[in-house]
Amino acid sequence: MAELHDKPWTLETQDTLESLDVQTDEGLSESEVESRREQYGANRLKETTSRSTWQIFIEQFKSLIIGILAVAAILSFVFSQWIEGIAVLIAIVVNTAIGFFTELRAVRSMEALQELSSTTSKVRRAGKVQEVPSEELVPGDIVVLESGDVVPADLRLVEGSNVQINESSLTGESVPVSKTLEPLAEDIPLAERQNMLYKGTALTRGAGEGVVVATGMKTELGHISELAEQAGNEEKTPLEKRLDQLGRRLVWLTIAVAAVVAIAGIIVGKDLFLMVEIAIALAVAAVPEGLPIVATVALARGMWRMAKRNAIINELSAVETLGATSVICTDKTGTLTENRMTLSKMFLDAGEIAISGEALETEGKFTQDEQTLKPLEDQVLRAALEVGVLCNNAALQPEGSNESRVVGDPTEVALLIAGVKADLQREELLEQMPEVREEAFDSDRKMMATFHEVNNQYRVAVKGAPEAVLQASSSILTSSGEEQQISEQDKEDWRERGNQLAAKGLRILALAQKTVSSEDADPYQDLTFLGVVGLLDPPREDVRPAIKECQEAGIRVIMVTGDQPVTARNIGIAVGLTDDQQVDVVQGKEFKNPDQLSQQERDRIVQTPILARVSPEQKLTLITLHQDTNAVVAMTGDGVNDAPALRKADIGVAMGQRGTQVAKEAADMVLQDDAFSSIVAAVEQGRAIFNNIRKFTIYLLSGNAGEIIAVAATSLGNFPLALLPLQILYINVVNDAFPALALGLSEGNSSLMQHPPRGAKEAILTRRHWLAILGYGIVIAGALLGAFALAFQWLGMEQNQAVTVSFMTLGFTRLWHVFNMRDNSSGFLRNEVTTNPYVWGALVLCTGLLLIAVYVPFLSTALQTVDPGVNGWLLIIGMSLVPLVVGQMFKLIRHAKKGRKPSQRGKSDHSKN
């Protein structure tokens, strides 16, 4: 029976395991896991209470718009205008209902999105290492950790090699802490518990195994979480802040306009109550109260589209930044390439050996000069394969032959597969040569080593970068099976052989070994060099067209890799980054502090499309150099050391499959499929979202501007009012929301990625857009007033019937006006608006809402509408089409003029209305 100890750091390793009733080599059984999960619950912190349905409903009444409507209702009742008062209350209910249901759906969608990025942990259960959701861990689970992993629960370390932990999230100490296995004093402070790994901290170096001693709220992080005051509201994104600011400015501006109109109307002798009510209606009409709602829905919808394309957004602000991305710095392995490593070539002392079979195929032949080799009979070949299998943290499950049987780094998996082809199984080798120590891969040394006990001595297996392994080698195993001293010239020859493999687009790795008498010996001295292996990682099929799409969109793609320059150049040419066979490849060693670089050096680094041998630290310099040119930079990363670069970049992109938890938490976006094309799809979606928000903002404001101009014109002149207050409210609150929502849900114009990116600080509405809003407003007002005047003068209608004509003209004008929101470069009949099914649904719904405003008795009485008759409907249809015709003619003229001008690179010309 498991017993949790409240101070596990005081126990010996074995005592800790016994208290939890578990063995490291077996782990817990599935039945025991279920039992403990029922006892201890899920391994998750108490989540901040999500916004309830009731809270979302109440928040709809907190806006300035609702306050204005409430004042209108109160004034109506004060002046005994009961129908108007009730109608305004109905408008309040309708407005809040639209806001409530759309925001409720958006909030719940955002909460569901968070579940897509849940973390996983490697755990040993029933003797097998498997990946499980971190929240399913229970006390007693044996967790396997590697450099870059985030600790998923509180663990007592039971095995470890050079384990260092970043505990800054708990202790504030930024320097990584080295860990040991020895028990500690009972009263030792948390920061000095060197045998404990705490939830939320990160493994920055080494590898190890720990047994779970606390989960969920019982962890140290859980205790802190209980003490921390939970934030009441989430921080708004820059886009939301800009929309709020725009809304507030419009409110005060239109209140001022409404006051002027009301005072002027009273001066010319119009009814006091009528002018006050008109002033309030004008203020409401001028403010696009649906703007925040539609923006929220548009963002949420866009994030779902990105999620479907395997891009999970961690930061909502990243959605708008994506649309302005101008530089994408991407790594090679797994992003531009398949990350399905195959060991295809080996260079040993006897020469080059080819290995057949791709990816996870376990059948293959070893050939040299067209002669088939028996790898177990060739002493050097066997030694090299054994080192690749022993110096390895990957695992192959025995059953099946698909990817699910693989756990670990693709490079290490390829080494295991090569061993299987030679009938060398890792489990059998470990039985013969048990592993007693591991020297984890170090990004500075660029090597990894394991120690294996053999006949009271220790065989050291080493793999790593060729230059590092050659530097640590003093001898070489020759084809005759003898060790021979290796000279500097020999090392240079081996470097050249490695370059030959790299020139073929292969990733190269060197292997070495030695025998020592102590397991405490330095693994990286006096090694016996065995040879170099070449691993094939073919480019992804979708990368070349994706890069071409970026280039057409004015986005520069830069490959940043740790591989050799010749390998990087080969892959860069293969994926279409460049056609220049002699393209300049800048190496990381050429980077300096940005302040120490000359302008010529800066230009060379910024202009090159391929950078090789770049360390995570040097990525910071690269980002700085590009940002100094006002570029918006997206940077990919997967390792612990990539976290600073991911944070510094405008868009940090972490790899979902091979990325460390540290990288994922530092990033703005996580790619579930590690594919470059997913980045491009996310950028396109970011452009579409910003474009949609701009379009429905123009749509709402231009329609409202038309109302203001029309009502102000009739109010200031000695004319009957062309629109009544409730009619304005009806159009604005009921009829406009659905077309605006439809625009916000658009998938975007197919030409979005054929234009340069917009500026990062470009406003939602530029001077040109404000002029367009004013222009559209004048045309809409002209159509409304024209219909009103013709109904009076030409058709001789009574005032109520003429007002109904102008009311219906405005309603249908604003419906057809949605088609003016297409991009200038899109087609007249087939474009992002006409192909949007939500637009057509909104038009059908809003047409019905307009018709019932005339023909449903109670509503027609409240709105003071009457049947306009056949001639009235012909006039309504004709005049309501005028703004559409004028808008389309303007777009055709503008597009024709633009076609005659040379394109200006660097200026965004998409999303222009």
Side-chain angles (χ1 to χ4, degrees):
M1 182 67 181
E3 179 182 346
L4 298 185
H5 197 284
D6 59 350
K7 296 180 179 179
W9 60 87
T10 63
L11 302 178
E12 293 282 353
T13 301
Q14 191 57 39
D15 292 338
T16 306
L17 294 169
E18 289 178 0
S19 69
L20 292 165
D21 193 20
V22 66
Q23 296 178 356
T24 56
D25 57 345
E26 282 295 319
L28 300 175
S29 65
E30 291 299 331
S31 60
E32 183 63 21
V33 169
E34 290 299 324
S35 174
R36 296 191 186 191
R37 188 174 297 124
E38 290 181 9
Q39 181 180 358
Y40 299 108
N43 176 38
R44 57 170 173 251
L45 301 180
K46 187 184 298 179
E47 298 175 353
T48 303
T49 306
S50 62
R51 293 166 63 195
S52 67
T53 303
W54 178 249
Q55 286 176 315
I56 295 172
F57 179 73
I58 292 298
E59 287 173 4
Q60 305 307 312
F61 294 91
K62 296 180 180 179
S63 74
L64 184 59
I65 300 301
I66 296 299
I68 293 173
L69 285 171
V71 171
I74 293 171
L75 288 174
S76 298
F77 291 130
V78 168
F79 283 85
S80 299
Q81 300 290 331
W82 305 108
I83 293 178
E84 284 83 353
I86 293 171
V88 173
L89 290 178
I90 292 173
I92 292 174
V93 171
V94 171
N95 185 68
T96 53
I98 293 172
F100 168 70
F101 287 112
T102 54
E103 188 168 353
L104 176 66
R105 183 174 179 182
V107 168
R108 295 296 177 256
S109 296
M110 294 293 294
E111 291 172 355
L113 266 179
Q114 294 174 356
E115 298 178 4
L116 294 176
S117 56
S118 59
T119 61
T120 60
S121 300
K122 281 190 287 188
V123 62
R124 183 177 294 110
R125 288 178 178 169
K128 295 180 180 179
V129 176
Q130 52 188 286
E131 287 191 1
V132 300
S134 296
E135 67 176 33
E136 294 184 5
L137 294 178
V138 298
D141 261 328
I142 303 298
V143 178
V144 180
L145 295 168
E146 296 178 359
S147 176
D149 289 345
V150 170
V151 179
D154 283 2
L155 311 177
R156 169 65 161 89
L157 194 63
V158 295
E159 289 185 17
S161 172
N162 290 336
V163 175
Q164 288 188 343
I165 298 286
N166 182 346
E167 295 184 340
S168 58
S169 59
L170 282 179
T171 66
E173 176 58 58
S174 59
V175 178
V177 179
S178 296
K179 295 294 180 176
T180 63
L181 303 181
E182 288 72 25
L184 302 169
E186 184 174 318
D187 58 350
I188 196 166
L190 184 145
E192 297 177 18
R193 296 173 192 167
Q194 294 179 326
N195 56 17
M196 293 291 296
L197 311 181
Y198 289 107
K199 180 178 176 67
T201 61
L203 206 71
T204 59
R205 184 178 180 183
E209 295 183 5
V211 60
V212 177
V213 295
T215 58
M217 295 303 293
K218 298 296 183 183
T219 62
E220 288 292 335
L221 193 62
H223 297 325
I224 293 174
S225 177
E226 284 184 326
L227 297 174
E229 181 178 354
Q230 298 299 317
N233 295 310
E234 293 183 3
E235 178 69 15
K236 289 188 176 181
T237 70
L239 180 62
E240 290 173 317
K241 290 177 181 177
R242 278 189 272 181
L243 288 171
D244 287 347
Q245 186 179 39
L246 174 63
R248 286 194 299 270
R249 287 178 177 175
L250 286 170
V251 165
W252 295 116
L253 175 64
T254 51
I255 286 177
V257 171
V260 171
V261 170
I263 294 171
I266 293 170
I267 290 174
V268 298
K270 293 188 182 295
D271 180 72
L272 172 63
F273 171 75
L274 180 63
M275 293 313 302
V276 170
E277 197 172 15
I278 285 174
I280 294 172
L282 269 177
V284 175
V287 178
E289 59 269 48
L291 200 57
I293 297 169
V294 180
T296 301
V297 173
L299 287 169
R301 178 76 175 179
M303 289 181 71
W304 268 111
R305 288 197 184 115
M306 291 182 190
K308 289 180 179 179
R309 291 296 304 268
N310 296 306
I312 305 299
I313 302 298
N314 288 342
E315 297 289 341
L316 196 58
S317 58
V319 175
E320 60 172 307
T321 310
L322 273 167
T325 300
S326 56
V327 172
I328 300 176
C329 297
T330 174
D331 59 357
K332 175 181 72 68
T333 305
T335 308
L336 300 181
T337 62
E338 292 281 359
N339 200 23
R340 297 167 64 91
M341 294 288 187
T342 301
L343 201 161
S344 60
K345 300 284 185 182
M346 298 182 74
F347 251 129
L348 305 178
D349 182 63
E352 183 177 333
I353 298 172
I355 307 172
S356 63
E358 296 182 358
L360 300 180
E361 295 179 15
T362 55
E363 298 293 330
K365 293 181 179 181
F366 294 77
T367 58
Q368 183 177 23
D369 298 329
E370 299 183 357
Q371 298 293 317
T372 301
L373 302 178
K374 295 182 178 180
L376 298 185
E377 296 178 4
D378 185 308
Q379 185 176 348
V380 184
L381 177 55
R382 176 169 183 158
L385 290 170
E386 285 181 347
V387 166
V389 172
L390 292 171
C391 188
N392 204 306
N393 279 321
L396 295 177
Q397 306 296 342
E399 67 276 355
S401 59
N402 51 46
E403 290 185 357
S404 62
R405 64 189 290 252
V406 172
V407 177
D409 180 82
T411 299
E412 295 191 330
V413 170
L415 293 170
L416 289 186
I417 293 290
V420 172
K421 291 174 182 177
D423 200 24
L424 290 173
Q425 305 288 344
R426 177 171 165 78
E427 293 76 11
E428 295 176 1
L429 283 178
L430 289 177
E431 287 181 8
Q432 301 168 18
M433 295 175 277
E435 182 178 318
V436 296
R437 174 187 167 191
E438 176 185 318
E439 191 77 14
F441 178 81
D442 187 298
S443 58
D444 293 327
R445 292 193 173 190
K446 299 180 181 178
M447 289 183 288
M448 171 188 174
T450 54
F451 286 66
H452 302 268
E453 187 174 3
V454 183
N455 299 326
N456 297 322
Q457 290 189 307
Y458 300 94
R459 180 180 182 182
V460 183
V462 176
K463 73 173 189 293
E467 59 267 32
V469 176
L470 282 167
Q471 185 67 33
S473 299
S474 59
S475 62
I476 182 172
L477 189 61
T478 66
S479 56
S480 62
E482 297 178 354
E483 293 185 12
Q484 178 179 307
Q485 185 176 357
I486 187 170
S487 65
E488 287 302 319
Q489 183 58 49
D490 292 334
K491 291 182 180 180
E492 186 58 38
D493 292 342
W494 277 103
R495 292 188 187 100
E496 179 56 33
R497 291 173 187 173
N499 288 337
Q500 291 176 24
L501 291 179
K504 298 176 181 177
L506 302 179
R507 181 178 183 181
I508 56 175
L509 203 63
L511 305 172
Q513 66 179 15
K514 68 175 178 178
T515 301
V516 296
S517 57
S518 171
E519 64 178 278
D520 297 322
D522 187 333
Y524 304 130
Q525 282 187 355
D526 297 326
L527 293 174
T528 298
F529 190 77
L530 298 176
V532 175
V533 299
L535 299 111
L536 176 64
D537 186 13
R540 287 178 180 260
E541 292 183 0
D542 58 350
V543 166
R544 179 176 276 273
I547 288 177
K548 184 178 180 182
E549 187 176 8
C550 281
Q551 293 167 341
E552 291 176 349
I555 300 171
R556 290 191 61 219
V557 181
I558 298 169
M559 183 170 71
V560 185
T561 177
D563 275 342
Q564 294 196 25
V566 65
T567 305
R569 181 185 289 112
N570 188 290
I571 294 296
I573 293 171
V575 299
L577 278 177
T578 179
D579 295 327
D580 184 2
Q581 298 290 332
Q582 303 300 322
V583 65
D584 182 28
V585 178
V586 176
Q587 297 191 54
K589 64 184 180 182
E590 300 176 50
F591 284 29
K592 304 173 186 174
N593 184 304
D595 297 333
Q596 298 175 347
L597 290 169
S598 67
Q599 189 59 48
Q600 185 177 1
E601 289 173 322
R602 284 171 169 264
D603 292 343
R604 178 169 175 252
I605 293 172
V606 168
Q607 292 170 8
T608 184
I610 303 173
L611 298 104
R613 286 295 192 233
V614 178
S615 70
E617 293 78 11
Q618 291 162 343
K619 287 183 178 181
L620 291 171
T621 299
L622 180 63
I623 293 170
T624 299
L625 293 177
H626 279 286
Q627 288 177 336
D628 286 346
T629 65
N630 296 320
V632 177
V633 183
M635 171 68 79
T636 67
D638 56 12
V640 179
N641 293 338
D642 286 327
L646 293 175
R647 288 195 178 97
K648 183 172 179 58
D650 299 290
I651 295 290
V653 183
M655 301 299 108
Q657 294 181 350
R658 58 190 168 84
T660 61
Q661 291 301 323
V662 174
K664 292 176 186 178
E665 292 184 4
D668 303 296
M669 182 170 74
V670 179
L671 299 184
Q672 289 186 306
D673 59 355
D674 292 8
F676 178 80
S677 58
S678 295
I679 303 176
V680 181
V683 170
E684 181 176 14
Q685 196 58 233
R687 288 187 175 191
I689 291 170
F690 191 89
N691 200 11
N692 290 344
I693 291 173
R694 174 172 281 170
K695 284 178 179 179
F696 65 64
T697 303
I698 293 173
Y699 170 77
L700 291 171
L701 292 184
S702 57
N704 292 359
E707 293 174 3
I708 292 175
I709 293 170
V711 173
T714 53
S715 298
L716 296 177
N718 194 19
F719 306 106
L721 290 174
L723 287 173
L724 300 180
L726 288 184
Q727 294 173 350
I728 295 174
L729 291 175
Y730 189 86
I731 292 287
N732 201 54
V733 175
V734 177
N735 220 59
D736 284 354
F738 299 107
L741 276 172
L743 287 173
L745 298 177
S746 172
E747 293 188 9
N749 190 348
S750 59
S751 66
L752 275 174
M753 295 296 283
Q754 296 174 9
H755 306 290
R758 63 178 172 82
K761 296 182 180 180
E762 184 175 310
I764 296 175
L765 299 178
T766 64
R767 180 175 176 273
R768 178 178 53 78
H769 296 120
W770 283 111
L771 290 174
I773 289 170
L774 180 61
Y776 281 135
I778 292 172
V779 175
I780 290 171
L784 185 158
L785 293 174
F788 185 59
L790 289 173
F792 254 130
Q793 303 297 327
W794 183 41
L795 298 179
M797 292 183 176
E798 296 182 353
Q799 183 171 338
N800 272 8
Q801 196 173 23
V803 170
T804 300
V805 168
S806 59
F807 170 50
M808 288 290 104
T809 300
L810 174 64
F812 282 103
T813 292
R814 297 196 67 166
L815 292 189
W816 312 145
H817 182 47
V818 74
F819 295 109
N820 283 331
M821 295 302 104
R822 71 175 177 87
D823 290 342
N824 291 334
S825 58
S826 61
F828 173 68
L829 294 177
R830 185 172 180 81
N831 52 62
E832 69 279 10
V833 179
T834 59
T835 57
N836 183 347
Y838 297 105
V839 166
W840 295 104
L843 293 183
V844 171
L845 174 62
C846 291
T847 298
L849 291 172
L850 287 173
L851 292 177
I852 67 173
V854 174
Y855 295 110
V856 172
F858 171 76
L859 194 55
S860 63
T861 301
L863 295 172
Q864 299 182 41
T865 57
V866 296
D867 185 357
V870 174
N871 290 335
W873 276 116
L874 291 174
L875 179 60
I876 290 168
I877 294 171
M879 294 304 293
S880 68
L881 288 171
V882 170
L884 174 62
V885 173
V886 172
Q888 294 302 314
M889 288 177 62
F890 175 78
K891 285 184 177 293
L892 290 172
I893 294 171
R894 184 176 176 83
H895 185 58
K897 285 183 177 180
K898 189 166 186 64
R900 292 194 296 268
K901 294 180 181 179
S903 62
Q904 298 180 14
R905 193 138 181 99
K907 285 190 175 183
S908 172
D909 59 355
H910 65 273
S911 73
K912 293 187 177 181
N913 298 289

